[in-house]
Amino acid sequence: MFENTEQHLAGQFKDGDLPHLVALRRLPCLFIPEGTGDEICKVGQVTEARINNGQVLFEYAIDPDVPPMRNSLLYAQKNRLDMNRHRHDFDWHRNHWAVKDVDLYRTLLRSVNPRRQRPSVFNIPEHESIEHQLVSVMMPFGAEFGPVYQAIQQASAACNLVSRRADEIWEAPGIIQDVVSLIDRARIVICDLTGRNPNVFYEAGIAHTLGREVIIITQSEHDIPFDLRHLRHLRYLNNNEGRASLTDALRGRMQTILGH
């Protein structure tokens, strides 16, 4: 108890030599596993606490209005959270209960994605959750696009990414829900506008609206709508040489997006 806590704060939450559990229960809490990487942290409140044989036993409830966060996000805010006092980051690598003179919710509002307005035609989660190795591919389902998809898969694999199309999954009763879910979870979305397919146009609009990194490819620049022609695109030929060039171009674009 009270490790990495200022002495004057610890004094406010002590009852003699013991922690003042009733006062501590009034504070919002960060429940943080040890580490500064992809560990998941949650916000909540201690609901019950007691001391038994020198140990503090407590029950807690997670705040449903605050999405789970990665420790890396919090670590980037360690100065604001007053968790930067020790050179070896003991705040992040020791099991303890500390008290900080910090407005927790105000601090988190600066770094946590807020709730977003959700559409009625399909469902998206209240808080986004991106799979950082996922590439979603939006393209016509015709057989002639099979080799093109293979070229995209090769580019993705070269960047340690995994590419998927909506016809490869069946998670919802309606295909539009699977399509939107695939876009929403993706780190990168590739849209093939060849043939001016209206479904792909619709999916490209969703991807842009959700703020995803979108790579536009096409066999003909005339298939790109006027409103999108100001965006960079990759043009390819649907033959062996053209698809090989597409793989190389996509690999370079993905590496740029990933910061490699």
Side-chain angles (χ1 to χ4, degrees):
M1 289 293 296
F2 302 122
E3 187 174 276
N4 300 328
T5 302
E6 293 279 7
Q7 289 187 359
H8 74 279
L9 283 176
Q12 294 177 34
F13 292 95
K14 284 185 178 180
D15 184 7
D17 293 330
L18 298 177
H20 195 316
L21 297 179
V22 174
L24 287 168
R25 281 169 48 190
R26 300 190 186 106
L27 301 179
C29 298
L30 280 173
F31 297 100
I32 309 177
E34 295 181 14
T36 59
D38 289 336
E39 302 84 4
I40 299 300
C41 164
K42 298 181 180 180
V43 174
Q45 198 100 18
V46 173
T47 56
E48 296 290 339
R50 67 183 186 278
I51 298 175
N52 185 12
N53 293 327
Q55 292 185 323
V56 178
L57 307 178
F58 64 90
E59 298 176 5
Y60 64 93
I62 299 300
D63 189 335
D65 291 325
V66 181
M69 297 161 284
R70 297 185 187 276
N71 278 16
S72 56
L73 183 148
L74 293 176
Y75 188 72
Q77 304 291 325
K78 65 178 182 177
N79 290 335
R80 292 194 178 102
L81 292 169
D82 193 25
M83 298 175 68
N84 64 337
R85 294 182 175 277
H86 299 283
R87 183 174 55 187
H88 300 293
D89 288 330
F90 286 154
D91 266 313
W92 303 89
H93 296 292
R94 286 177 61 84
N95 187 5
H96 64 285
W97 187 346
V99 178
K100 305 293 184 180
D101 188 10
V102 172
D103 187 328
L104 178 61
Y105 286 103
R106 183 183 295 274
T107 300
L108 294 181
L109 278 173
R110 298 176 181 176
S111 54
V112 177
N113 291 328
R115 288 183 173 184
R116 51 184 178 178
Q117 184 176 352
R118 290 182 285 180
S120 58
V121 176
F122 46 77
N123 295 318
I124 56 175
E126 187 171 307
H127 303 287
E128 67 181 12
S129 179
I130 297 175
E131 298 175 18
H132 292 274
Q133 290 184 298
L134 176 62
V135 177
S136 297
V137 181
M138 304 294 129
M139 65 191 314
F141 290 150
E144 66 273 21
F145 287 93
V148 179
Y149 183 43
Q150 292 176 2
I152 295 171
Q153 290 178 305
Q154 292 170 8
S156 300
C159 298
N160 295 317
L161 302 173
V162 177
S163 56
R164 300 193 70 187
R165 295 196 311 190
D167 60 332
E168 296 177 327
I169 61 176
W170 191 344
E171 299 173 352
I175 189 171
I176 183 59
Q177 185 58 54
D178 282 337
V179 168
V180 172
S181 177
L182 193 59
I183 293 172
D184 192 38
R185 300 197 311 266
R187 176 68 176 85
I188 298 172
V189 179
I190 296 176
C191 295
D192 191 337
L193 303 188
T194 301
R196 302 181 67 85
N197 185 290
N199 291 332
V200 179
F201 285 177
Y202 182 67
E203 292 152 3
I206 292 173
H208 281 138
T209 300
L210 293 176
R212 296 297 168 264
E213 292 279 2
V214 178
I215 302 175
I216 295 174
I217 65 174
T218 183
Q219 295 175 29
S220 172
E221 60 184 17
H222 298 294
D223 287 340
I224 299 177
F226 174 79
D227 287 349
L228 298 181
R229 288 181 186 171
H230 68 287
L231 301 176
R232 292 183 177 178
H233 63 274
L234 300 178
R235 184 181 175 187
Y236 70 94
L237 297 176
N238 194 5
N239 55 35
N240 289 337
E241 183 178 352
R243 291 189 296 268
S245 296
L246 176 63
T247 296
D248 290 340
L250 283 173
R251 182 174 63 245
R253 180 68 186 122
M254 290 177 184
Q255 289 173 341
T256 299
I257 291 173
L258 298 173
H260 293 172

